[in-house]
Amino acid sequence: MKTVFAKPASVERKWYVIDAEGKILGRVAAKIASVVRGKNKAIFVPHQEVGDYVIVINADKIVVSGRKAQQKMYYRHSGYMGGLKSTTYEKLMAHNPIMPLEKAVKGMLPKGPLGRKMAKNVKIYAGVNHPHSAQNPVVLEA
């Protein structure tokens, strides 16, 4: 029996919509990462891009449990000495509501060129409106 490898050009790719309103941040991010990687398909291989596209709406209404809104910290570095900047989940949501979900999904994808390519297949929107209605997306429960 021979091993069958799917060519990226022959893979059928779907569009999914996830409504994140009232959902927990980590659970939604794990579901998105799984679909984008293609782990829900029988032809999954870790070294190829066989996953689907995901549209996330209502990212500004996502929730975290406990006191994480006040205690969870996000860090970035300017590249200069002493250039470490930090912000809480609450402040980040007020400034850029799609960033926490985007960072959570990127952290669950592979590192390197393949992971960066997969991250482009996730479209996150703070509200209900999105410009991808032409693709006839399927609603996915997270």
Side-chain angles (χ1 to χ4, degrees):
M1 185 172 183
K2 295 178 79 175
T3 303
V4 178
F5 286 107
K7 293 182 175 67
S10 65
V11 175
E12 180 189 341
R13 308 191 61 194
K14 294 181 182 176
W15 286 77
Y16 292 101
V17 172
I18 294 180
D19 187 2
E21 184 175 0
K23 305 271 180 22
I24 298 172
L25 174 67
R27 293 177 188 267
V28 172
K31 183 68 174 180
I32 293 167
S34 177
V35 171
V36 168
R37 282 198 75 189
K39 288 191 146 197
N40 57 341
K41 295 183 175 185
I43 58 169
F44 170 73
V45 284
H47 59 85
Q48 285 182 340
E49 186 186 16
V50 295
D52 298 318
Y53 297 93
V54 177
I55 303 163
V56 184
I57 56 174
N58 290 324
D60 57 343
K61 295 180 180 81
I62 206 159
V63 296
V64 290
S65 59
R67 295 181 55 205
K68 288 187 193 112
Q70 295 85 28
Q71 294 177 343
K72 184 170 177 58
M73 298 297 287
Y74 289 92
Y75 299 98
R76 64 189 190 281
H77 199 281
S78 67
Y80 291 99
M81 293 197 44
L84 183 67
K85 308 237 190 290
S86 62
T87 184
T88 62
Y89 174 83
E90 268 183 335
K91 289 181 183 174
L92 191 61
M93 283 296 284
H95 181 260
N96 188 356
I98 65 169
M99 189 61 74
L101 185 59
E102 194 173 273
K103 287 178 77 71
V105 171
K106 279 186 181 178
M108 294 179 187
L109 292 175
K111 309 309 179 255
L114 182 63
R116 288 190 293 272
K117 193 173 179 187
M118 287 177 181
K120 291 178 183 175
N121 296 340
V122 180
K123 314 294 184 193
I124 303 174
Y125 298 98
V128 180
N129 300 328
H130 62 86
H132 305 287
S133 58
Q135 281 79 14
N136 296 327
V138 178
V139 177
L140 185 69
E141 280 298 316

